[in-house]
Amino acid sequence: MSGDVRRLDEWDAPRLRGLADEFDTPLYVLDPDRVRKNCDRLLGAFPASDVHYAVKANTTRTVLETVREAGLGAECASAGEVRRALDAGFPASEVRYTAVNPPGRDLDAVVEWADEHPELTVTVDSRDTLERIADRGYEGRLCVRVNPGVGAGHHAKVTTGDAPQFGVPYDRAPGLCEAARDVGDLVGLHAHAGSGIMGEDLSAHEELVRRMSALAGEVGEDGSLEFVAVGGGFGVPYRPEEPPLDLDSVAETTREAFDCDARLAVEPGRYVVADAGVLLTRVTATTETPETTVVGADAGMTDLIRPALYGAYHHIDCLAPDAADREATTCLVAGPVCETADILGEGRSLPEPRRGDLLAVGNAGAYGYEMASQYNSRPRPAVVTVDGGTVARRETLADLTRLEPNYHT
Ligand code: LLP
């Protein structure tokens, strides 16, 4: 299954070193060509289906335009994401807005845009959301988000399908569908099991698909449903020894369990961008301690929060040109934030680290830059393409305070 994943050691090390020299660190490097290839694989595995990119994984304009050109639609979780998708040129007919407890401001904006672009689809997750958009005069395309009662994912914090906060309970879905038909055109059903599904979670995904097609049979027997979205969540291997997800077999399992007239829709985020991005960071200090060698890095939880938040593993390589000549050392790679959670990797074997070494953190394209923050008043990093094009400039200290009218220097 070569090509199913791009491993960290397949990135061009001299080029990454050159980019770090030119743009400084911490630095995200994105490869649009890899994004394109991931999109192509998804379209190949799910022919005659809607493949919508869950834009929350990475909303940079470069990624959105690449994904649009590759032929995917956009799955959006907020008004801000809908705006970005429309601005990046996605036709409104390929944009879906799946709100989770949407603020009124988001509904105001989306209802206004839907007036201009009636092809937009709004997914409602509760009777209240439906009433709130009806109150704003919305009469357009609607989809109902269902809580399928089965979940899966790489961590409890991203297992969605059985978490009560997402969607209307399965047995109440027909009632919400009926109510939706009184407001606008009910064109779809939606459910999402969770994020980071690998082989062992496939049975939950399969059960979700089965339940959703049964529901579609019940509420869409008149053939009025255009699509049934069965979520995203396709996992990627974060560890070098982990095999890639067998996408074709996931697609086959999905198709076999999908027994209804509507079109199948999937909405992967991570799968599209994870291995198309790396985070580069420079070693600022090394400290021998009785337990381990502590490697201080200039990137931390404000740049990539996944290890701190989910205990997520991201592989780390040393890109020093002489790395191969050095002795392997067990290391703790820690960031610049004064929090015990600020760790990029623990118990990592790295070539004996030295101040100034460049480290590459793998699979950082999804939920990396997107979840970056300014905590500890750390400006967010820059993002560039492998060719050195700017995706997002590095924030400055002035950016940190620009929202505060009372800030004086
Ligand atoms: N559809 C819906 C409704 C979702 O809520 C999500 C992700 C997706 C699709 C895309 O899931 P993906 O294919 O990317 O797994 N920050 C976490 C992931 C949170 C995902 C939330 N929802 C992480 O870094 O692992």
Side-chain angles (χ1 to χ4, degrees):
M1 277 184 293
S2 111
D4 278 8
V5 60
R6 180 197 243 183
R7 306 279 182 185
L8 184 53
D9 60 7
E10 291 168 44
W11 287 77
D12 179 345
R15 178 172 290 219
L16 293 179
R17 282 195 293 268
L19 291 170
D21 288 342
E22 186 177 348
F23 295 97
D24 208 354
T25 54
L27 181 70
Y28 274 100
V29 181
L30 262 177
D31 186 351
D33 192 48
R34 182 67 202 165
V35 173
R36 211 165 294 126
K37 290 202 167 83
N38 291 338
C39 291
D40 288 348
R41 262 199 331 286
L42 283 160
L43 292 171
F46 290 98
S49 310
D50 295 347
V51 184
H52 283 210
Y53 168 55
V55 306
K56 61 172 63 137
N58 189 318
T59 53
T60 57
R61 184 62 170 254
T62 304
V63 166
L64 293 186
E65 286 181 353
T66 307
V67 168
R68 172 181 55 72
E69 280 162 18
L72 273 62
E75 163 66 28
C76 305
S78 66
E81 289 187 358
V82 171
R83 191 65 261 162
R84 280 180 185 261
L86 293 173
D87 289 347
F90 283 93
S93 57
E94 302 303 315
V95 176
R96 292 181 190 152
Y97 166 58
T98 302
V100 176
N101 302 321
R105 212 178 305 113
D106 277 37
L107 295 182
D108 291 343
V110 170
V111 168
E112 188 188 320
W113 301 332
D115 220 28
E116 201 181 318
H117 304 284
E119 314 82 24
L120 199 77
T121 302
V122 175
T123 301
V124 291
D125 58 342
S126 70
R127 220 169 247 271
D128 277 326
T129 308
L130 179 66
E131 281 176 22
R132 289 167 71 215
I133 59 160
D135 288 349
R136 287 167 167 81
Y138 186 80
E139 295 177 346
R141 293 164 57 82
L142 282 166
C143 170
V144 163
R145 179 161 188 176
V146 181
N147 187 312
V150 278
H154 70 81
H155 191 278
K157 285 185 180 155
V158 299
T159 301
T160 326
D162 53 0
Q165 81 236 53
F166 301 110
V168 65
Y170 188 80
D171 54 354
R172 298 222 207 114
L176 185 56
C177 288
E178 216 179 294
R181 285 188 165 124
D182 289 339
V183 171
D185 293 332
L186 180 73
V187 294
L189 296 177
H190 175 280
H192 174 65
S195 194
I197 300 173
M198 292 305 267
E200 64 273 19
D201 303 315
L202 266 189
S203 56
H205 172 73
E206 194 178 346
E207 182 58 22
L208 176 148
V209 176
R210 208 171 286 121
R211 288 188 193 181
M212 291 303 287
S213 31
L215 183 63
E218 193 183 333
V219 304
E221 57 188 9
D222 53 353
S224 60
L225 288 182
E226 285 174 22
F227 68 88
V228 175
V230 298
F234 308 142
V236 299
Y238 281 91
R239 293 173 189 266
E241 69 279 7
E242 220 179 330
L245 184 71
D246 184 344
L247 191 65
D248 290 329
S249 102
V250 175
E252 200 182 310
T253 305
T254 308
R255 267 193 302 273
E256 275 171 19
F258 191 76
D259 178 24
C260 73
D261 293 338
R263 221 167 40 245
L264 171 69
V266 291
E267 41 193 49
R270 186 188 316 273
Y271 195 89
V272 174
V273 276
D275 69 354
V278 294
L279 171 63
L280 299 180
T281 178
R282 199 68 82 179
V283 174
T284 53
T286 62
T287 312
E288 301 292 334
T289 71
E291 304 86 24
T292 187
T293 299
V294 179
V295 180
D298 66 2
M301 63 192 285
T302 55
D303 308 287
L304 178 68
I305 201 176
R306 303 192 70 257
L309 191 58
Y310 314 118
Y313 181 95
H314 283 261
H315 199 59
I316 302 175
D317 269 349
C318 174
L319 299 185
D322 65 345
D325 308 330
R326 301 195 207 161
E327 195 100 353
T329 311
T330 304
C331 302
L332 171 77
V333 184
V337 175
C338 188
E339 285 227 18
T340 317
D342 192 24
I343 283 169
L344 291 175
E346 255 177 300
R348 298 305 176 83
S349 175
L350 286 173
E352 193 199 0
R354 294 187 197 143
R355 176 152 53 103
D357 281 352
L358 186 65
L359 304 179
V361 183
N363 267 336
Y367 306 110
Y369 182 67
E370 200 61 32
M371 295 175 84
S373 77
Q374 295 177 336
Y375 179 47
N376 266 214
S377 286
R378 288 184 35 83
R380 289 185 298 167
V383 188
V384 296
T385 64
V386 270
D387 296 329
T390 297
V391 176
R393 72 159 169 83
R394 182 178 304 286
E395 281 182 334
T396 62
L397 290 182
D399 286 324
L400 297 175
T401 51
R402 75 191 150 160
L403 304 181
E404 296 173 51
N406 299 327
Y407 189 87
H408 301 293
T409 49

